[in-house]
mmCIF file of all heavy atoms in Angstrom:
data_model
loop_
_atom_site.group_PDB
_atom_site.id
_atom_site.type_symbol
_atom_site.label_atom_id
_atom_site.label_comp_id
_atom_site.label_asym_id
_atom_site.label_seq_id
_atom_site.Cartn_x
_atom_site.Cartn_y
_atom_site.Cartn_z
ATOM 1 N N ALA A 178 21.143 35.401 8.823
ATOM 2 C CA ALA A 178 21.466 36.536 9.503
ATOM 3 C C ALA A 178 22.739 36.436 10.301
ATOM 4 O O ALA A 178 23.440 37.345 10.671
ATOM 5 C CB ALA A 178 20.316 36.989 10.411
ATOM 6 N N LEU A 179 23.062 35.204 10.652
ATOM 7 C CA LEU A 179 24.295 34.969 11.490
ATOM 8 C C LEU A 179 25.538 34.864 10.673
ATOM 9 O O LEU A 179 26.656 34.866 11.222
ATOM 10 C CB LEU A 179 24.097 33.601 12.234
ATOM 11 C CG LEU A 179 23.134 33.624 13.410
ATOM 12 C CD1 LEU A 179 22.904 32.164 13.970
ATOM 13 C CD2 LEU A 179 23.475 34.588 14.549
ATOM 14 N N VAL A 180 25.423 34.745 9.351
ATOM 15 C CA VAL A 180 26.620 34.607 8.539
ATOM 16 C C VAL A 180 27.656 35.698 8.749
ATOM 17 O O VAL A 180 28.908 35.399 8.936
ATOM 18 C CB VAL A 180 26.274 34.580 7.043
ATOM 19 C CG1 VAL A 180 27.457 34.598 6.145
ATOM 20 C CG2 VAL A 180 25.469 33.293 6.703
ATOM 21 N N PRO A 181 27.299 37.014 8.827
ATOM 22 C CA PRO A 181 28.342 38.027 9.065
ATOM 23 C C PRO A 181 29.124 37.919 10.376
ATOM 24 O O PRO A 181 30.129 38.505 10.539
ATOM 25 C CB PRO A 181 27.553 39.328 9.019
ATOM 26 C CG PRO A 181 26.269 39.038 8.212
ATOM 27 C CD PRO A 181 25.988 37.598 8.622
ATOM 28 N N HIS A 182 28.542 37.151 11.353
ATOM 29 C CA HIS A 182 29.118 37.035 12.691
ATOM 30 C C HIS A 182 29.939 35.749 12.799
ATOM 31 O O HIS A 182 30.296 35.331 13.867
ATOM 32 C CB HIS A 182 28.018 37.039 13.733
ATOM 33 C CG HIS A 182 27.132 38.235 13.573
ATOM 34 N ND1 HIS A 182 27.502 39.524 13.881
ATOM 35 C CD2 HIS A 182 25.849 38.378 13.162
ATOM 36 C CE1 HIS A 182 26.477 40.404 13.689
ATOM 37 N NE2 HIS A 182 25.438 39.658 13.218
ATOM 38 N N ALA A 183 30.224 35.091 11.695
ATOM 39 C CA ALA A 183 30.943 33.808 11.720
ATOM 40 C C ALA A 183 32.341 33.884 12.390
ATOM 41 O O ALA A 183 32.652 33.060 13.196
ATOM 42 C CB ALA A 183 31.100 33.281 10.260
ATOM 43 N N LYS A 184 33.104 34.953 12.100
ATOM 44 C CA LYS A 184 34.373 35.095 12.672
ATOM 45 C C LYS A 184 34.325 35.182 14.201
ATOM 46 O O LYS A 184 35.145 34.638 14.881
ATOM 47 C CB LYS A 184 35.164 36.300 12.066
ATOM 48 C CG LYS A 184 35.540 36.047 10.604
ATOM 49 C CD LYS A 184 36.324 37.196 10.061
ATOM 50 C CE LYS A 184 36.776 37.043 8.648
ATOM 51 N NZ LYS A 184 37.540 38.165 8.091
ATOM 52 N N LEU A 185 33.403 35.971 14.645
ATOM 53 C CA LEU A 185 33.209 36.159 16.149
ATOM 54 C C LEU A 185 32.856 34.815 16.776
ATOM 55 O O LEU A 185 33.425 34.415 17.793
ATOM 56 C CB LEU A 185 32.110 37.188 16.392
ATOM 57 C CG LEU A 185 31.875 37.501 17.863
ATOM 58 C CD1 LEU A 185 33.096 38.048 18.552
ATOM 59 C CD2 LEU A 185 30.702 38.481 18.039
ATOM 60 N N PHE A 186 31.962 34.076 16.139
ATOM 61 C CA PHE A 186 31.532 32.775 16.720
ATOM 62 C C PHE A 186 32.724 31.816 16.673
ATOM 63 O O PHE A 186 32.923 31.090 17.669
ATOM 64 C CB PHE A 186 30.442 32.257 15.831
ATOM 65 C CG PHE A 186 29.831 30.897 16.329
ATOM 66 C CD1 PHE A 186 28.816 30.856 17.313
ATOM 67 C CD2 PHE A 186 30.361 29.660 15.842
ATOM 68 C CE1 PHE A 186 28.258 29.690 17.729
ATOM 69 C CE2 PHE A 186 29.790 28.525 16.353
ATOM 70 C CZ PHE A 186 28.807 28.482 17.222
ATOM 71 N N ASN A 187 33.512 31.810 15.594
ATOM 72 C CA ASN A 187 34.620 30.841 15.500
ATOM 73 C C ASN A 187 35.728 31.139 16.447
ATOM 74 O O ASN A 187 36.390 30.253 16.941
ATOM 75 C CB ASN A 187 35.119 30.985 14.023
ATOM 76 C CG ASN A 187 34.151 30.437 13.018
ATOM 77 O OD1 ASN A 187 33.175 29.771 13.365
ATOM 78 N ND2 ASN A 187 34.365 30.758 11.773
ATOM 79 N N ARG A 188 35.889 32.449 16.758
ATOM 80 C CA ARG A 188 36.890 32.790 17.805
ATOM 81 C C ARG A 188 36.425 32.296 19.188
ATOM 82 O O ARG A 188 37.291 31.842 20.040
ATOM 83 C CB ARG A 188 37.091 34.294 17.912
ATOM 84 C CG ARG A 188 37.997 34.872 16.844
ATOM 85 C CD ARG A 188 38.560 36.226 17.130
ATOM 86 N NE ARG A 188 37.483 37.193 17.332
ATOM 87 C CZ ARG A 188 36.982 37.945 16.358
ATOM 88 N NH1 ARG A 188 37.504 37.875 15.119
ATOM 89 N NH2 ARG A 188 36.056 38.861 16.605
ATOM 90 N N TRP A 189 35.126 32.354 19.432
ATOM 91 C CA TRP A 189 34.604 31.906 20.680
ATOM 92 C C TRP A 189 34.700 30.404 20.840
ATOM 93 O O TRP A 189 35.011 29.887 21.916
ATOM 94 C CB TRP A 189 33.101 32.308 20.791
ATOM 95 C CG TRP A 189 32.442 31.825 22.101
ATOM 96 C CD1 TRP A 189 32.673 32.288 23.314
ATOM 97 C CD2 TRP A 189 31.352 30.888 22.159
ATOM 98 N NE1 TRP A 189 31.810 31.571 24.210
ATOM 99 C CE2 TRP A 189 31.043 30.731 23.574
ATOM 100 C CE3 TRP A 189 30.738 30.080 21.230
ATOM 101 C CZ2 TRP A 189 30.129 29.781 23.955
ATOM 102 C CZ3 TRP A 189 29.762 29.193 21.671
ATOM 103 C CH2 TRP A 189 29.415 29.096 23.038
ATOM 104 N N THR A 190 34.512 29.615 19.743
ATOM 105 C CA THR A 190 34.615 28.225 19.818
ATOM 106 C C THR A 190 36.054 27.699 19.602
ATOM 107 O O THR A 190 36.275 26.495 19.696
ATOM 108 C CB THR A 190 33.635 27.529 18.761
ATOM 109 O OG1 THR A 190 34.053 27.959 17.466
ATOM 110 C CG2 THR A 190 32.233 27.897 19.060
ATOM 111 N N LYS A 191 36.939 28.624 19.150
ATOM 112 C CA LYS A 191 38.304 28.212 18.884
ATOM 113 C C LYS A 191 38.466 27.194 17.820
ATOM 114 O O LYS A 191 39.161 26.190 17.881
ATOM 115 C CB LYS A 191 39.101 27.785 20.121
ATOM 116 C CG LYS A 191 39.043 28.821 21.251
ATOM 117 C CD LYS A 191 39.758 28.253 22.527
ATOM 118 C CE LYS A 191 39.796 29.309 23.674
ATOM 119 N NZ LYS A 191 40.427 28.799 24.874
ATOM 120 N N SER A 192 37.620 27.395 16.721
ATOM 121 C CA SER A 192 37.615 26.382 15.646
ATOM 122 C C SER A 192 38.588 26.710 14.577
ATOM 123 O O SER A 192 38.961 27.877 14.418
ATOM 124 C CB SER A 192 36.140 26.289 15.061
ATOM 125 O OG SER A 192 35.847 27.569 14.562
ATOM 126 N N ASP A 193 39.002 25.684 13.836
ATOM 127 C CA ASP A 193 39.961 25.876 12.747
ATOM 128 C C ASP A 193 39.251 25.730 11.386
ATOM 129 O O ASP A 193 38.704 24.594 11.072
ATOM 130 C CB ASP A 193 41.070 24.820 12.800
ATOM 131 C CG ASP A 193 42.073 24.900 11.692
ATOM 132 O OD1 ASP A 193 42.033 25.920 10.964
ATOM 133 O OD2 ASP A 193 42.872 23.976 11.526
ATOM 134 N N THR A 194 39.054 26.861 10.674
ATOM 135 C CA THR A 194 38.259 26.771 9.431
ATOM 136 C C THR A 194 39.049 26.376 8.192
ATOM 137 O O THR A 194 38.435 26.163 7.122
ATOM 138 C CB THR A 194 37.599 28.143 9.162
ATOM 139 O OG1 THR A 194 38.619 29.101 9.056
ATOM 140 C CG2 THR A 194 36.641 28.506 10.292
ATOM 141 N N SER A 195 40.348 26.210 8.328
ATOM 142 C CA SER A 195 41.153 25.874 7.155
ATOM 143 C C SER A 195 40.735 24.508 6.579
ATOM 144 O O SER A 195 40.870 24.250 5.395
ATOM 145 C CB SER A 195 42.605 25.914 7.473
ATOM 146 O OG SER A 195 42.951 24.947 8.530
ATOM 147 N N VAL A 196 40.418 23.607 7.540
ATOM 148 C CA VAL A 196 39.991 22.175 7.052
ATOM 149 C C VAL A 196 38.751 22.344 6.163
ATOM 150 O O VAL A 196 38.723 21.586 5.098
ATOM 151 C CB VAL A 196 39.658 21.326 8.311
ATOM 152 C CG1 VAL A 196 39.196 19.983 7.847
ATOM 153 C CG2 VAL A 196 40.855 21.227 9.217
ATOM 154 N N ILE A 197 37.789 23.162 6.523
ATOM 155 C CA ILE A 197 36.549 23.286 5.742
ATOM 156 C C ILE A 197 36.960 23.845 4.334
ATOM 157 O O ILE A 197 36.373 23.414 3.333
ATOM 158 C CB ILE A 197 35.597 24.289 6.393
ATOM 159 C CG1 ILE A 197 35.134 23.572 7.717
ATOM 160 C CG2 ILE A 197 34.337 24.426 5.529
ATOM 161 C CD1 ILE A 197 34.498 22.273 7.653
ATOM 162 N N ASP A 198 37.839 24.782 4.246
ATOM 163 C CA ASP A 198 38.294 25.359 2.983
ATOM 164 C C ASP A 198 38.887 24.290 2.091
ATOM 165 O O ASP A 198 38.591 24.263 0.908
ATOM 166 C CB ASP A 198 39.168 26.531 3.189
ATOM 167 C CG ASP A 198 38.588 27.633 3.967
ATOM 168 O OD1 ASP A 198 37.312 27.806 3.875
ATOM 169 O OD2 ASP A 198 39.327 28.444 4.629
#
Side-chain angles (χ1 to χ4, degrees):
L179 289 175
V180 172
H182 307 289
K184 290 184 178 180
L185 180 62
F186 183 89
N187 295 342
R188 282 200 300 268
W189 178 69
T190 60
K191 300 178 181 178
S192 61
D193 179 12
T194 59
S195 62
V196 177
I197 299 299
D198 295 335

